[in-house]
Amino acid sequence: MFETKLPNGRRVFCPNPMEVSIIYEQTKSYFHHGFKVDEGDTVFDVGANIGLFSLTVCDWGLRPVRLFAFEPIPTTFEALRANVERYQLRGLVPVRCAVSRGSGMGMFTYYPLATAMSSAYPCDADSADLLEHAFPEILQHLPSFLRWIECLPSRPQAAVIKLLLKIILHGRRVSCQTISLSDALREHDVDRVDFLKIDVEKAELEVLQGLEAQYWPKIQKIVVEVHDIDGRLNGVVDMLLAHGFQDVICEQEPEMKAFEVFTVFARRNVAS
């Protein structure tokens, strides 16, 4: 485990310091369209990684909230737990589970050099589509010590990028416990979730499918990262509308266009 410094000056534990600033910047995207967390709210952070969203939500311990952070990968979970202990976040409960359709065990692929991409749906570093669509974004997000790649002619550059992807996406399979959202609500005696954040790398539909009909009204606001595979974006939006969310907004950050990744915001009551 490493320790690194964030742009806000805070120090956190992590498995891979090179990706932390990127994850930290991503946390800001969950608070668009007036979405916020107030004192006393209950928050579910599904796909917590090292806890940067959770730490932001509770303002590093200054805002009293009840927060459950779900992270299945053992190495990443240990960093999450260390950050909770460092900032003495008494209202934050780290839960070493993946949230899915049901409770049991599941297989996940852990990427030590890209922990935020760890998922039940492993990446394919040899995918022609991945290389074609991700190419411009890969160049924009290279760390400073790899900027020399930008100066290469196109063919050598493509070969180096392909090799780099293979290295970054060299993962290992791990077995992790899973829990459904309904079981999590029952187990932790939660009557209301004011803010549900979901970022689970292609497993978002399974998370929502694990919420039984009688529990949907307990969820007030949802922000979910959606990988639009086989019409999944429309499926998620239709599911939210069917369960009473009147205000549903789909947003795509410019850097996510190549990956067909969207952020969906949904709440029950439209602000007056």
Side-chain angles (χ1 to χ4, degrees):
M1 190 184 304
F2 299 92
E3 185 179 350
T4 190
K5 187 177 180 180
L6 295 173
N8 66 359
R10 302 278 188 174
R11 301 194 70 85
V12 293
F13 295 105
C14 61
N16 175 23
M18 288 193 297
E19 65 178 341
V20 171
S21 61
I22 297 173
I23 299 172
Y24 175 73
E25 288 301 318
Q26 184 185 10
T27 63
K28 300 175 183 177
S29 67
Y30 299 121
F31 302 103
H32 293 177
H33 308 290
F35 275 59
K36 62 178 182 176
V37 173
D38 296 317
E39 290 188 7
D41 279 356
T42 297
V43 180
F44 270 31
D45 183 359
V46 177
N49 198 264
I50 64 172
L52 296 185
F53 171 80
S54 293
L55 291 164
T56 301
V57 160
C58 67
D59 195 16
W60 303 84
L62 298 178
R63 181 184 297 117
V65 295
R66 186 185 186 198
L67 203 155
F68 299 88
F70 297 85
E71 173 55 45
I73 305 299
T75 304
T76 314
F77 178 81
E78 289 307 313
L80 166 64
R81 185 161 59 182
N83 288 325
V84 171
E85 292 174 355
R86 160 169 276 184
Y87 291 99
Q88 300 180 349
L89 304 177
R90 295 179 180 86
L92 198 162
V93 180
V95 185
R96 186 175 156 182
C97 277
V99 180
S100 190
R101 287 193 188 95
S103 299
M105 298 297 294
M107 292 302 298
F108 293 76
T109 301
Y110 169 60
Y111 300 101
L113 295 180
T115 68
M117 297 180 68
S118 301
S119 172
Y121 294 88
C123 299
D124 180 6
D126 292 317
S127 167
D129 287 340
L130 175 63
L131 288 171
E132 179 182 352
H133 294 297
F135 206 85
E137 298 303 326
I138 291 169
L139 290 178
Q140 289 181 30
H141 291 92
L142 287 175
S144 57
F145 67 90
L146 289 175
R147 288 292 181 185
W148 56 269
I149 295 175
E150 296 177 304
C151 302
L152 294 174
S154 58
R155 291 186 66 181
Q157 186 183 79
V160 171
I161 289 289
K162 186 172 182 178
L163 177 61
L164 186 62
L165 273 175
K166 284 187 175 182
I167 295 171
I168 293 173
L169 297 181
H170 179 71
R172 63 173 183 263
R173 300 285 279 168
V174 295
S175 178
C176 301
Q177 187 175 350
T178 66
I179 190 171
S180 71
L181 267 179
S182 296
D183 285 344
L185 290 166
R186 285 189 286 262
E187 183 174 317
H188 297 285
D189 193 24
V190 176
D191 292 326
R192 173 188 172 103
V193 177
D194 298 285
F195 197 123
L196 168 60
K197 167 258 184 182
I198 303 171
D199 183 353
V200 288
E201 299 301 314
K202 304 177 187 176
E204 52 275 2
L205 199 56
E206 286 93 326
V207 174
L208 295 174
Q209 289 170 340
L211 192 58
E212 298 165 18
Q214 68 267 30
Y215 289 105
W216 273 95
K218 295 180 182 292
I219 313 299
Q220 304 306 306
K221 294 193 294 284
I222 295 179
V223 177
V224 52
E225 183 184 270
V226 179
H227 294 251
D228 193 20
I229 302 167
D230 299 325
R232 185 178 298 169
L233 178 64
N234 288 335
V236 168
V237 170
D238 290 345
M239 184 183 295
L240 295 172
L241 291 172
H243 287 285
F245 287 87
Q246 300 94 348
D247 188 13
V248 179
I249 302 168
C250 298
E251 180 178 273
Q252 188 177 55
E253 298 287 336
E255 63 270 18
M256 291 293 106
K257 187 174 182 180
F259 301 97
E260 291 297 320
V261 173
F262 294 79
T263 305
V264 177
F265 300 80
R267 60 182 136 207
R268 294 204 170 273
N269 299 308
V270 180
S272 58

